[in-house]
Amino acid sequence: SPPSRPIGPVTPLTRLTQADLLEPTGDVDISNVTFRFLSAQGADEYIVQVSDSPGFPSNRAVTIPLREKLANQDIGGQILTIPNQNLSGRFGAVQTLYWRVGYRYSRDVNPPEGGWVFSQVRSFTVLTVPPSPPG
């Protein structure tokens, strides 16, 4: 008889790269940050982590969940957005911040350690003074 097919979900294996982390980059007003990134094929839950250290120690990192659900997690490369995040109470001006995306399949029978696969890390710089309002 033919071999049986695997049963159960599988952790997304493709690691998101810096190119998949669309924004923020450059100088950013941390009182209103929008995170935009591409989805990973097979993942249905996402978080963004922000830290002042590229190692993301738990006492110096902020975790922001993506609230929307994907229509089809089997399609990678969809643009996902977490808008209007105020990080000014957690981080100060004139510093570099690092961010990454964690993703997983929520019903995975064999999740990676900690439950999340993490993207490569991208950075942005906090503006010293918030930009003037337009107009």
Side-chain angles (χ1 to χ4, degrees), residues 3 5 19-20 27 32 41 44-46 49 55 74 77 85 87 89 99 104 111 113 134-135:
R5 295 176 43 170
D20 298 321
D27 293 334
N32 187 15
Q41 183 175 353
D44 67 349
E45 290 185 344
Y46 293 85
Q49 286 189 327
D74 294 327
Q85 298 300 304
L87 302 174
W99 69 287
R104 65 183 177 191
E113 185 177 332

Side-chain angles (χ1 to χ4, degrees), residues 4-15:
S4 60
R5 295 176 43 170
I7 298 173
V10 177
T11 301
L13 299 177
T14 303
R15 185 171 186 210

Side-chain angles (χ1 to χ4, degrees), residues 28-33 85-88 91-93 97 124 126-127:
V28 175
D29 171 10
I30 62 168
S31 67
N32 187 15
V33 182
Q85 298 300 304
N86 184 349
L87 302 174
S88 60
F91 301 106
L97 294 179
F124 61 93
V126 177
L127 287 174

